[in-house]
Amino acid sequence: MHFLSLLASLATLSSVALGAPRSVSSPSIFKRCTNSADDRSCWGDYDISTNYYDEAPDTGVTREYWFNIVNTTAAPDGIERVVLSINGSVPGPTIIADWGDTVVVHVTNSMENNGSSIHFHGIRQNYTNQMDGVASVTQCPIAPGSSYTYTWKATQYGSSWYHSHFYVQAWDGVFGGIQINGPATGNYDEDLGVLFLNDWSHETADVELLAAEASGPPTLDNGLINGTNTYTDTDTDVTTGSRFTTTFTTGTRYRIRLVNGAADTHFKFTIDNHTMSVIATDFVPIVPYSTDVVSIAMGQRYDIIVTANATSDNYWMRAIAQTACSENDNADNILGIVRYSDAADTTSDPTSTAWSDASTDECVDEDMSLLVPYLAIAASDSPDTTTDFDVEVTLDDNAFLWEMGPTTFVNQWDYPTVLQAYEGNDTWGSSQNIQEFATANTWAYWVIQTTNAVPHPMHLHGHDFWVLGQGTGTYNSSTASLSVTNVPRRDVVLLPASGWVVIAFYTDNPGAWLMHCHIAWHTSEGLAVQILERESEFVALMDGDVLNSTCAAWDAYVTADAVVQDDSGI
Ligand SMILES: *[C@@H]1O[C@H](CO)[C@@H](O)[C@H](O)[C@H]1NC(C)=O
Ligand SMILES: *[C@@H]1O[C@H](CO)[C@@H](O)[C@H](O)[C@H]1NC(C)=O
Ligand SMILES: *[C@@H]1O[C@H](CO)[C@@H](O)[C@H](O)[C@H]1NC(C)=O
Ligand SMILES: *[C@@H]1O[C@H](CO)[C@@H](O)[C@H](O)[C@H]1NC(C)=O
Ligand SMILES: *[C@@H]1O[C@H](CO)[C@@H](O)[C@H](O)[C@H]1NC(C)=O
Ligand SMILES: *[C@@H]1O[C@H](CO)[C@@H](O)[C@H](O)[C@H]1NC(C)=O
Ligand SMILES: *[C@@H]1O[C@H](CO)[C@@H](O)[C@H](O)[C@H]1NC(C)=O
Ligand SMILES: *[C@@H]1O[C@H](CO)[C@@H](O)[C@H](O)[C@H]1NC(C)=O
Ligand SMILES: *[C@@H]1O[C@H](CO)[C@@H](O)[C@H](O)[C@H]1NC(C)=O
Ligand SMILES: *[C@@H]1O[C@H](CO)[C@@H](O)[C@H](O)[C@H]1NC(C)=O
Ligand SMILES: [Cu+2]
């Protein structure tokens, strides 16, 4: 069935059922159902079957946040260092909204020596490209002392994060959670919120980037669970910091929203003696499946429900850094603690052991066959366009650079894609890696492959994509097994080491949208392309005053401080 006719039939069905258009808010007595611990599938006039690509509630509610990006110091694992952060905390404040709310975030850059921008990862930005927060693509960087207001509608629900999209600043601490309340495919009693899995260095990210450019991925010092962990100095044997700890009450079902916010670490997440039910991949609710361990690539999210049904005791929660694709000095010691409220001992460290299936060290996605979207939507089996991309590493002047398809991506901070489009300058530079899609509502297939033994978590802005296939070895279109029928939909997929992935997306959102590898160093080293989707339509939607004034402030800062751009711009 064609995508649009599927949408149309869903819309018809539901308006028949309701007897009134959805946009008219009705008294609660006419609502379909009430969301409760024993029925998380419903959401007032909407529910888990609503096609959220097509419609969303209109709550009329605005959630307003003020973010101040500051340069300060912090000691997440007891070792003090410079951090760049939102309001001094790492992770920053969580954005919490309901499905259908409007979110407004006023960002002020109070740092002295860096520009900034805030990207709301996975948020579709439906017809609001200028709110996507990518320096050099959707805006000029926010200059020190300047502000930028991001406004977007939560047309999806679920879990994600926001982070700086300027330089490697996100991995110095400029990030935080996004929780959008809505229906779910599994029932739970308590929502514990976003739980960040990060890697962490005792040097700032710019120092690690220089190391990565010169000699490949650096070995990071540690990892954090929701911004905290311990660290043992091997020279002095002194342990600093503390573990993330949460308390369980027997019988309670907890929802946890896992986010991999690492610079360069693939994690396996597991809680000793507890099985989890996985209910969402990125912003897509799925048919729940049970597992002891979930494999999570950078930028990905998995929502899980954990039932407190083990013997009352203390248990380790583990974010195991997979050394098959990066090095960490503390790979097996990135731990949190789950304490049962009625355990005999509520202060000692757990003595629990990991599930045996958590011990395989590998950088892979969860098995595609497990990630079945609850809302079944087939991709077209006859794409309007198919594009092939080879992902390769190159050496330029002894510095590592990456390319995806055409060449190494470089965009200019002071001349973002949207400004170039706004000025009607269609002379795109070759390093801008422009992929143009001028026509609305077409299907694009992208075949992305690599012969390097390095996996890359590929993230697309402005869209969920369908994962048609994923494998290792050389991609062969006549033998690869691809499917369009209710395959995983998400916004980050792992391109396997020495392997391939085929994705499909639908051109339903005008804008300049990035697709890039989410490994911090690879983003900076140019592993990206950008989609120019329905240019004349997005130009017509742009706010020229905001565009111009942000760039004018940036230009003044660059001139005064002699700022030189030395990365890809994103
Ligand atoms: C996305 O924006 C378009 C254009 O304004 C609108 O027609 C459509 O309903 C929006 N989609 C959702 C899910 O709100
Ligand atoms: C962040 O700090 C600003 C003041 O600099 C304050 O107005 C705002 O409420 C804080 N925001 C949050 C989310 O804590
Ligand atoms: C943060 O402050 C340190 C000094 O404490 C300074 O060296 C560094 O340049 C500052 N970084 C930014 C981004 O302003
Ligand atoms: C950002 O600030 C750091 C210091 O905190 C500095 O090393 C780096 O060069 C700055 N980057 C840019 C692009 O301004
Ligand atoms: C993780 O930290 C964020 C930000 O402080 C907070 O909102 C969230 O609730 C924490 N998650 C858990 C599971 O405690
Ligand atoms: C946890 O599970 C292990 C087997 O994986 C079992 O030996 C152990 O007794 C369990 N611990 C508790 C406290 O139930
Ligand atoms: C605990 O609950 C999970 C999820 O419902 C289930 O898979 C598991 O078998 C239960 N374990 C015990 C020990 O009852
Ligand atoms: C048009 O854009 C290209 C690529 O960004 C740039 O090199 C060129 O200077 C621009 N032309 C004008 C007239 O601004
Ligand atoms: C792809 O597979 C077909 C069928 O097995 C084979 O004939 C063809 O040589 C393969 N192509 C490549 C490039 O390996
Ligand atoms: C923005 O600046 C351009 C010149 O770069 C000018 O043509 C345009 O009118 C300005 N737009 C607004 C809304 O000020
Ligand atoms: Cu990469």
Side-chain angles (χ1 to χ4, degrees), residues 310-332:
T311 308
S312 288
D313 205 331
N314 302 303
Y315 297 93
W316 290 120
M317 170 187 273
R318 303 171 191 269
I320 309 168
Q322 302 299 295
T323 58
C325 58
S326 50
E327 299 296 325
N328 192 295
D329 278 337
N330 212 21
D332 292 320

mmCIF file with all atom_site columns, all heavy atoms in Angstrom, residues 310-332:
data_model
loop_
_atom_site.group_PDB
_atom_site.id
_atom_site.type_symbol
_atom_site.label_atom_id
_atom_site.label_alt_id
_atom_site.label_comp_id
_atom_site.label_asym_id
_atom_site.label_entity_id
_atom_site.label_seq_id
_atom_site.pdbx_PDB_ins_code
_atom_site.Cartn_x
_atom_site.Cartn_y
_atom_site.Cartn_z
_atom_site.occupancy
_atom_site.B_iso_or_equiv
_atom_site.pdbx_formal_charge
_atom_site.auth_seq_id
_atom_site.auth_comp_id
_atom_site.auth_asym_id
_atom_site.auth_atom_id
_atom_site.pdbx_PDB_model_num
ATOM 1   N N   . ALA A 1 310 ? 13.268 -9.097  41.398 1.00 0.00 ? 310 ALA A N   1
ATOM 2   C CA  . ALA A 1 310 ? 14.363 -9.958  41.872 1.00 0.00 ? 310 ALA A CA  1
ATOM 3   C C   . ALA A 1 310 ? 14.305 -10.011 43.402 1.00 0.00 ? 310 ALA A C   1
ATOM 4   O O   . ALA A 1 310 ? 13.528 -9.291  44.034 1.00 0.00 ? 310 ALA A O   1
ATOM 5   C CB  . ALA A 1 310 ? 15.697 -9.401  41.410 1.00 0.00 ? 310 ALA A CB  1
ATOM 6   N N   . THR A 1 311 ? 15.136 -10.858 43.985 1.00 0.00 ? 311 THR A N   1
ATOM 7   C CA  . THR A 1 311 ? 15.245 -10.920 45.446 1.00 0.00 ? 311 THR A CA  1
ATOM 8   C C   . THR A 1 311 ? 15.686 -9.544  45.953 1.00 0.00 ? 311 THR A C   1
ATOM 9   O O   . THR A 1 311 ? 16.563 -8.919  45.351 1.00 0.00 ? 311 THR A O   1
ATOM 10  C CB  . THR A 1 311 ? 16.325 -11.970 45.806 1.00 0.00 ? 311 THR A CB  1
ATOM 11  O OG1 . THR A 1 311 ? 16.004 -13.175 45.116 1.00 0.00 ? 311 THR A OG1 1
ATOM 12  C CG2 . THR A 1 311 ? 16.390 -12.216 47.300 1.00 0.00 ? 311 THR A CG2 1
ATOM 13  N N   . SER A 1 312 ? 15.076 -9.069  47.045 1.00 0.00 ? 312 SER A N   1
ATOM 14  C CA  . SER A 1 312 ? 15.453 -7.750  47.582 1.00 0.00 ? 312 SER A CA  1
ATOM 15  C C   . SER A 1 312 ? 16.940 -7.731  47.925 1.00 0.00 ? 312 SER A C   1
ATOM 16  O O   . SER A 1 312 ? 17.378 -8.446  48.831 1.00 0.00 ? 312 SER A O   1
ATOM 17  C CB  . SER A 1 312 ? 14.636 -7.434  48.840 1.00 0.00 ? 312 SER A CB  1
ATOM 18  O OG  . SER A 1 312 ? 13.320 -7.156  48.466 1.00 0.00 ? 312 SER A OG  1
ATOM 19  N N   . ASP A 1 313 ? 17.688 -6.927  47.187 1.00 0.00 ? 313 ASP A N   1
ATOM 20  C CA  . ASP A 1 313 ? 19.146 -6.932  47.334 1.00 0.00 ? 313 ASP A CA  1
ATOM 21  C C   . ASP A 1 313 ? 19.683 -5.707  46.600 1.00 0.00 ? 313 ASP A C   1
ATOM 22  O O   . ASP A 1 313 ? 18.907 -4.822  46.233 1.00 0.00 ? 313 ASP A O   1
ATOM 23  C CB  . ASP A 1 313 ? 19.699 -8.235  46.716 1.00 0.00 ? 313 ASP A CB  1
ATOM 24  C CG  . ASP A 1 313 ? 21.039 -8.655  47.320 1.00 0.00 ? 313 ASP A CG  1
ATOM 25  O OD1 . ASP A 1 313 ? 21.793 -7.766  47.755 1.00 0.00 ? 313 ASP A OD1 1
ATOM 26  O OD2 . ASP A 1 313 ? 21.326 -9.867  47.333 1.00 0.00 ? 313 ASP A OD2 1
ATOM 27  N N   . ASN A 1 314 ? 20.989 -5.678  46.353 1.00 0.00 ? 314 ASN A N   1
ATOM 28  C CA  . ASN A 1 314 ? 21.596 -4.602  45.565 1.00 0.00 ? 314 ASN A CA  1
ATOM 29  C C   . ASN A 1 314 ? 22.168 -5.203  44.290 1.00 0.00 ? 314 ASN A C   1
ATOM 30  O O   . ASN A 1 314 ? 22.742 -6.301  44.329 1.00 0.00 ? 314 ASN A O   1
ATOM 31  C CB  . ASN A 1 314 ? 22.727 -3.940  46.356 1.00 0.00 ? 314 ASN A CB  1
ATOM 32  C CG  . ASN A 1 314 ? 22.219 -3.395  47.678 1.00 0.00 ? 314 ASN A CG  1
ATOM 33  O OD1 . ASN A 1 314 ? 21.301 -2.582  47.703 1.00 0.00 ? 314 ASN A OD1 1
ATOM 34  N ND2 . ASN A 1 314 ? 22.779 -3.876  48.785 1.00 0.00 ? 314 ASN A ND2 1
ATOM 35  N N   . TYR A 1 315 ? 22.016 -4.493  43.187 1.00 0.00 ? 315 TYR A N   1
ATOM 36  C CA  . TYR A 1 315 ? 22.446 -5.048  41.888 1.00 0.00 ? 315 TYR A CA  1
ATOM 37  C C   . TYR A 1 315 ? 23.214 -3.992  41.090 1.00 0.00 ? 315 TYR A C   1
ATOM 38  O O   . TYR A 1 315 ? 22.894 -2.805  41.147 1.00 0.00 ? 315 TYR A O   1
ATOM 39  C CB  . TYR A 1 315 ? 21.218 -5.482  41.074 1.00 0.00 ? 315 TYR A CB  1
ATOM 40  C CG  . TYR A 1 315 ? 20.440 -6.594  41.739 1.00 0.00 ? 315 TYR A CG  1
ATOM 41  C CD1 . TYR A 1 315 ? 19.353 -6.297  42.581 1.00 0.00 ? 315 TYR A CD1 1
ATOM 42  C CD2 . TYR A 1 315 ? 20.799 -7.929  41.562 1.00 0.00 ? 315 TYR A CD2 1
ATOM 43  C CE1 . TYR A 1 315 ? 18.653 -7.306  43.218 1.00 0.00 ? 315 TYR A CE1 1
ATOM 44  C CE2 . TYR A 1 315 ? 20.097 -8.944  42.196 1.00 0.00 ? 315 TYR A CE2 1
ATOM 45  C CZ  . TYR A 1 315 ? 19.026 -8.637  43.022 1.00 0.00 ? 315 TYR A CZ  1
ATOM 46  O OH  . TYR A 1 315 ? 18.345 -9.644  43.653 1.00 0.00 ? 315 TYR A OH  1
ATOM 47  N N   . TRP A 1 316 ? 24.173 -4.451  40.309 1.00 0.00 ? 316 TRP A N   1
ATOM 48  C CA  . TRP A 1 316 ? 24.874 -3.542  39.405 1.00 0.00 ? 316 TRP A CA  1
ATOM 49  C C   . TRP A 1 316 ? 24.045 -3.287  38.152 1.00 0.00 ? 316 TRP A C   1
ATOM 50  O O   . TRP A 1 316 ? 23.443 -4.196  37.594 1.00 0.00 ? 316 TRP A O   1
ATOM 51  C CB  . TRP A 1 316 ? 26.218 -4.129  38.950 1.00 0.00 ? 316 TRP A CB  1
ATOM 52  C CG  . TRP A 1 316 ? 27.282 -4.209  39.989 1.00 0.00 ? 316 TRP A CG  1
ATOM 53  C CD1 . TRP A 1 316 ? 27.899 -5.354  40.425 1.00 0.00 ? 316 TRP A CD1 1
ATOM 54  C CD2 . TRP A 1 316 ? 27.890 -3.125  40.698 1.00 0.00 ? 316 TRP A CD2 1
ATOM 55  N NE1 . TRP A 1 316 ? 28.843 -5.049  41.365 1.00 0.00 ? 316 TRP A NE1 1
ATOM 56  C CE2 . TRP A 1 316 ? 28.866 -3.682  41.559 1.00 0.00 ? 316 TRP A CE2 1
ATOM 57  C CE3 . TRP A 1 316 ? 27.715 -1.735  40.708 1.00 0.00 ? 316 TRP A CE3 1
ATOM 58  C CZ2 . TRP A 1 316 ? 29.656 -2.903  42.413 1.00 0.00 ? 316 TRP A CZ2 1
ATOM 59  C CZ3 . TRP A 1 316 ? 28.500 -0.963  41.553 1.00 0.00 ? 316 TRP A CZ3 1
ATOM 60  C CH2 . TRP A 1 316 ? 29.445 -1.540  42.393 1.00 0.00 ? 316 TRP A CH2 1
ATOM 61  N N   . MET A 1 317 ? 24.084 -2.037  37.767 1.00 0.00 ? 317 MET A N   1
ATOM 62  C CA  . MET A 1 317 ? 23.586 -1.602  36.462 1.00 0.00 ? 317 MET A CA  1
ATOM 63  C C   . MET A 1 317 ? 24.872 -1.343  35.678 1.00 0.00 ? 317 MET A C   1
ATOM 64  O O   . MET A 1 317 ? 25.783 -0.698  36.197 1.00 0.00 ? 317 MET A O   1
ATOM 65  C CB  . MET A 1 317 ? 22.808 -0.309  36.722 1.00 0.00 ? 317 MET A CB  1
ATOM 66  C CG  . MET A 1 317 ? 22.374 0.474   35.556 1.00 0.00 ? 317 MET A CG  1
ATOM 67  S SD  . MET A 1 317 ? 21.662 2.053   36.141 1.00 0.00 ? 317 MET A SD  1
ATOM 68  C CE  . MET A 1 317 ? 19.979 1.590   36.429 1.00 0.00 ? 317 MET A CE  1
ATOM 69  N N   . ARG A 1 318 ? 24.985 -1.877  34.460 1.00 0.00 ? 318 ARG A N   1
ATOM 70  C CA  . ARG A 1 318 ? 26.263 -1.795  33.742 1.00 0.00 ? 318 ARG A CA  1
ATOM 71  C C   . ARG A 1 318 ? 26.124 -1.124  32.377 1.00 0.00 ? 318 ARG A C   1
ATOM 72  O O   . ARG A 1 318 ? 25.234 -1.490  31.605 1.00 0.00 ? 318 ARG A O   1
ATOM 73  C CB  . ARG A 1 318 ? 26.829 -3.204  33.501 1.00 0.00 ? 318 ARG A CB  1
ATOM 74  C CG  . ARG A 1 318 ? 27.021 -4.009  34.763 1.00 0.00 ? 318 ARG A CG  1
ATOM 75  C CD  . ARG A 1 318 ? 27.360 -5.467  34.449 1.00 0.00 ? 318 ARG A CD  1
ATOM 76  N NE  . ARG A 1 318 ? 27.278 -6.281  35.672 1.00 0.00 ? 318 ARG A NE  1
ATOM 77  C CZ  . ARG A 1 318 ? 28.306 -6.516  36.485 1.00 0.00 ? 318 ARG A CZ  1
ATOM 78  N NH1 . ARG A 1 318 ? 29.511 -6.060  36.173 1.00 0.00 ? 318 ARG A NH1 1
ATOM 79  N NH2 . ARG A 1 318 ? 28.137 -7.215  37.588 1.00 0.00 ? 318 ARG A NH2 1
ATOM 80  N N   . ALA A 1 319 ? 27.018 -0.186  32.113 1.00 0.00 ? 319 ALA A N   1
ATOM 81  C CA  . ALA A 1 319 ? 27.170 0.359   30.753 1.00 0.00 ? 319 ALA A CA  1
ATOM 82  C C   . ALA A 1 319 ? 28.537 -0.143  30.306 1.00 0.00 ? 319 ALA A C   1
ATOM 83  O O   . ALA A 1 319 ? 29.566 0.427   30.672 1.00 0.00 ? 319 ALA A O   1
ATOM 84  C CB  . ALA A 1 319 ? 27.104 1.878   30.769 1.00 0.00 ? 319 ALA A CB  1
ATOM 85  N N   . ILE A 1 320 ? 28.549 -1.241  29.572 1.00 0.00 ? 320 ILE A N   1
ATOM 86  C CA  . ILE A 1 320 ? 29.817 -1.891  29.226 1.00 0.00 ? 320 ILE A CA  1
ATOM 87  C C   . ILE A 1 320 ? 30.329 -1.309  27.908 1.00 0.00 ? 320 ILE A C   1
ATOM 88  O O   . ILE A 1 320 ? 29.678 -1.438  26.865 1.00 0.00 ? 320 ILE A O   1
ATOM 89  C CB  . ILE A 1 320 ? 29.642 -3.421  29.112 1.00 0.00 ? 320 ILE A CB  1
ATOM 90  C CG1 . ILE A 1 320 ? 28.952 -3.967  30.377 1.00 0.00 ? 320 ILE A CG1 1
ATOM 91  C CG2 . ILE A 1 320 ? 30.983 -4.092  28.875 1.00 0.00 ? 320 ILE A CG2 1
ATOM 92  C CD1 . ILE A 1 320 ? 28.474 -5.411  30.254 1.00 0.00 ? 320 ILE A CD1 1
ATOM 93  N N   . ALA A 1 321 ? 31.490 -0.641  27.985 1.00 0.00 ? 321 ALA A N   1
ATOM 94  C CA  . ALA A 1 321 ? 32.067 -0.019  26.787 1.00 0.00 ? 321 ALA A CA  1
ATOM 95  C C   . ALA A 1 321 ? 32.612 -1.133  25.894 1.00 0.00 ? 321 ALA A C   1
ATOM 96  O O   . ALA A 1 321 ? 33.430 -1.941  26.333 1.00 0.00 ? 321 ALA A O   1
ATOM 97  C CB  . ALA A 1 321 ? 33.176 0.947   27.188 1.00 0.00 ? 321 ALA A CB  1
ATOM 98  N N   . GLN A 1 322 ? 32.156 -1.204  24.677 1.00 0.00 ? 322 GLN A N   1
ATOM 99  C CA  . GLN A 1 322 ? 32.568 -2.269  23.760 1.00 0.00 ? 322 GLN A CA  1
ATOM 100 C C   . GLN A 1 322 ? 33.912 -1.913  23.135 1.00 0.00 ? 322 GLN A C   1
ATOM 101 O O   . GLN A 1 322 ? 33.997 -0.999  22.306 1.00 0.00 ? 322 GLN A O   1
ATOM 102 C CB  . GLN A 1 322 ? 31.490 -2.496  22.697 1.00 0.00 ? 322 GLN A CB  1
ATOM 103 C CG  . GLN A 1 322 ? 30.125 -2.845  23.288 1.00 0.00 ? 322 GLN A CG  1
ATOM 104 C CD  . GLN A 1 322 ? 30.147 -4.136  24.112 1.00 0.00 ? 322 GLN A CD  1
ATOM 105 O OE1 . GLN A 1 322 ? 30.381 -5.210  23.581 1.00 0.00 ? 322 GLN A OE1 1
ATOM 106 N NE2 . GLN A 1 322 ? 29.916 -4.027  25.424 1.00 0.00 ? 322 GLN A NE2 1
ATOM 107 N N   . THR A 1 323 ? 34.951 -2.645  23.540 1.00 0.00 ? 323 THR A N   1
ATOM 108 C CA  . THR A 1 323 ? 36.294 -2.281  23.080 1.00 0.00 ? 323 THR A CA  1
ATOM 109 C C   . THR A 1 323 ? 36.573 -2.769  21.658 1.00 0.00 ? 323 THR A C   1
ATOM 110 O O   . THR A 1 323 ? 37.629 -2.497  21.108 1.00 0.00 ? 323 THR A O   1
ATOM 111 C CB  . THR A 1 323 ? 37.362 -2.814  24.055 1.00 0.00 ? 323 THR A CB  1
ATOM 112 O OG1 . THR A 1 323 ? 37.201 -4.228  24.150 1.00 0.00 ? 323 THR A OG1 1
ATOM 113 C CG2 . THR A 1 323 ? 37.198 -2.196  25.430 1.00 0.00 ? 323 THR A CG2 1
ATOM 114 N N   . ALA A 1 324 ? 35.615 -3.468  21.056 1.00 0.00 ? 324 ALA A N   1
ATOM 115 C CA  . ALA A 1 324 ? 35.789 -3.864  19.655 1.00 0.00 ? 324 ALA A CA  1
ATOM 116 C C   . ALA A 1 324 ? 35.842 -2.636  18.742 1.00 0.00 ? 324 ALA A C   1
ATOM 117 O O   . ALA A 1 324 ? 36.370 -2.718  17.631 1.00 0.00 ? 324 ALA A O   1
ATOM 118 C CB  . ALA A 1 324 ? 34.645 -4.779  19.220 1.00 0.00 ? 324 ALA A CB  1
ATOM 119 N N   . CYS A 1 325 ? 35.294 -1.491  19.192 1.00 0.00 ? 325 CYS A N   1
ATOM 120 C CA  . CYS A 1 325 ? 35.339 -0.315  18.313 1.00 0.00 ? 325 CYS A CA  1
ATOM 121 C C   . CYS A 1 325 ? 35.863 0.953   18.968 1.00 0.00 ? 325 CYS A C   1
ATOM 122 O O   . CYS A 1 325 ? 35.847 2.008   18.333 1.00 0.00 ? 325 CYS A O   1
ATOM 123 C CB  . CYS A 1 325 ? 33.986 -0.081  17.640 1.00 0.00 ? 325 CYS A CB  1
ATOM 124 S SG  . CYS A 1 325 ? 32.596 0.147   18.750 1.00 0.00 ? 325 CYS A SG  1
ATOM 125 N N   . SER A 1 326 ? 36.296 0.895   20.230 1.00 0.00 ? 326 SER A N   1
ATOM 126 C CA  . SER A 1 326 ? 36.979 2.056   20.812 1.00 0.00 ? 326 SER A CA  1
ATOM 127 C C   . SER A 1 326 ? 37.629 1.639   22.122 1.00 0.00 ? 326 SER A C   1
ATOM 128 O O   . SER A 1 326 ? 37.274 0.606   22.694 1.00 0.00 ? 326 SER A O   1
ATOM 129 C CB  . SER A 1 326 ? 36.017 3.217   21.052 1.00 0.00 ? 326 SER A CB  1
ATOM 130 O OG  . SER A 1 326 ? 34.877 2.778   21.745 1.00 0.00 ? 326 SER A OG  1
ATOM 131 N N   . GLU A 1 327 ? 38.565 2.456   22.574 1.00 0.00 ? 327 GLU A N   1
ATOM 132 C CA  . GLU A 1 327 ? 39.327 2.109   23.775 1.00 0.00 ? 327 GLU A CA  1
ATOM 133 C C   . GLU A 1 327 ? 38.872 2.953   24.958 1.00 0.00 ? 327 GLU A C   1
ATOM 134 O O   . GLU A 1 327 ? 38.623 4.142   24.809 1.00 0.00 ? 327 GLU A O   1
ATOM 135 C CB  . GLU A 1 327 ? 40.819 2.388   23.545 1.00 0.00 ? 327 GLU A CB  1
ATOM 136 C CG  . GLU A 1 327 ? 41.426 1.580   22.413 1.00 0.00 ? 327 GLU A CG  1
ATOM 137 C CD  . GLU A 1 327 ? 41.419 0.083   22.687 1.00 0.00 ? 327 GLU A CD  1
ATOM 138 O OE1 . GLU A 1 327 ? 41.598 -0.314  23.861 1.00 0.00 ? 327 GLU A OE1 1
ATOM 139 O OE2 . GLU A 1 327 ? 41.213 -0.684  21.727 1.00 0.00 ? 327 GLU A OE2 1
ATOM 140 N N   . ASN A 1 328 ? 38.744 2.299   26.120 1.00 0.00 ? 328 ASN A N   1
ATOM 141 C CA  . ASN A 1 328 ? 38.414 3.044   27.332 1.00 0.00 ? 328 ASN A CA  1
ATOM 142 C C   . ASN A 1 328 ? 39.186 2.416   28.489 1.00 0.00 ? 328 ASN A C   1
ATOM 143 O O   . ASN A 1 328 ? 39.207 1.196   28.626 1.00 0.00 ? 328 ASN A O   1
ATOM 144 C CB  . ASN A 1 328 ? 36.904 2.989   27.592 1.00 0.00 ? 328 ASN A CB  1
ATOM 145 C CG  . ASN A 1 328 ? 36.469 3.973   28.659 1.00 0.00 ? 328 ASN A CG  1
ATOM 146 O OD1 . ASN A 1 328 ? 36.850 3.847   29.822 1.00 0.00 ? 328 ASN A OD1 1
ATOM 147 N ND2 . ASN A 1 328 ? 35.691 4.962   28.275 1.00 0.00 ? 328 ASN A ND2 1
ATOM 148 N N   . ASP A 1 329 ? 39.822 3.269   29.305 1.00 0.00 ? 329 ASP A N   1
ATOM 149 C CA  . ASP A 1 329 ? 40.627 2.762   30.418 1.00 0.00 ? 329 ASP A CA  1
ATOM 150 C C   . ASP A 1 329 ? 39.789 2.130   31.525 1.00 0.00 ? 329 ASP A C   1
ATOM 151 O O   . ASP A 1 329 ? 40.327 1.483   32.416 1.00 0.00 ? 329 ASP A O   1
ATOM 152 C CB  . ASP A 1 329 ? 41.468 3.904   31.028 1.00 0.00 ? 329 ASP A CB  1
ATOM 153 C CG  . ASP A 1 329 ? 42.740 4.141   30.234 1.00 0.00 ? 329 ASP A CG  1
ATOM 154 O OD1 . ASP A 1 329 ? 43.174 3.202   29.528 1.00 0.00 ? 329 ASP A OD1 1
ATOM 155 O OD2 . ASP A 1 329 ? 43.291 5.251   30.308 1.00 0.00 ? 329 ASP A OD2 1
ATOM 156 N N   . ASN A 1 330 ? 38.483 2.359   31.485 1.00 0.00 ? 330 ASN A N   1
ATOM 157 C CA  . ASN A 1 330 ? 37.626 1.891   32.577 1.00 0.00 ? 330 ASN A CA  1
ATOM 158 C C   . ASN A 1 330 ? 36.423 1.116   32.021 1.00 0.00 ? 330 ASN A C   1
ATOM 159 O O   . ASN A 1 330 ? 35.334 1.146   32.594 1.00 0.00 ? 330 ASN A O   1
ATOM 160 C CB  . ASN A 1 330 ? 37.145 3.122   33.366 1.00 0.00 ? 330 ASN A CB  1
ATOM 161 C CG  . ASN A 1 330 ? 36.946 2.842   34.836 1.00 0.00 ? 330 ASN A CG  1
ATOM 162 O OD1 . ASN A 1 330 ? 37.495 1.887   35.383 1.00 0.00 ? 330 ASN A OD1 1
ATOM 163 N ND2 . ASN A 1 330 ? 36.138 3.660   35.482 1.00 0.00 ? 330 ASN A ND2 1
ATOM 164 N N   . ALA A 1 331 ? 36.646 0.422   30.903 1.00 0.00 ? 331 ALA A N   1
ATOM 165 C CA  . ALA A 1 331 ? 35.547 -0.147  30.107 1.00 0.00 ? 331 ALA A CA  1
ATOM 166 C C   . ALA A 1 331 ? 34.558 -0.993  30.906 1.00 0.00 ? 331 ALA A C   1
ATOM 167 O O   . ALA A 1 331 ? 33.359 -0.962  30.640 1.00 0.00 ? 331 ALA A O   1
ATOM 168 C CB  . ALA A 1 331 ? 36.123 -0.969  28.957 1.00 0.00 ? 331 ALA A CB  1
ATOM 169 N N   . ASP A 1 332 ? 35.063 -1.765  31.893 1.00 0.00 ? 332 ASP A N   1
ATOM 170 C CA  . ASP A 1 332 ? 34.174 -2.677  32.625 1.00 0.00 ? 332 ASP A CA  1
ATOM 171 C C   . ASP A 1 332 ? 33.765 -2.140  33.984 1.00 0.00 ? 332 ASP A C   1
ATOM 172 O O   . ASP A 1 332 ? 33.248 -2.879  34.820 1.00 0.00 ? 332 ASP A O   1
ATOM 173 C CB  . ASP A 1 332 ? 34.862 -4.038  32.793 1.00 0.00 ? 332 ASP A CB  1
ATOM 174 C CG  . ASP A 1 332 ? 34.993 -4.732  31.450 1.00 0.00 ? 332 ASP A CG  1
ATOM 175 O OD1 . ASP A 1 332 ? 34.034 -4.647  30.651 1.00 0.00 ? 332 ASP A OD1 1
ATOM 176 O OD2 . ASP A 1 332 ? 36.057 -5.313  31.187 1.00 0.00 ? 332 ASP A OD2 1
#
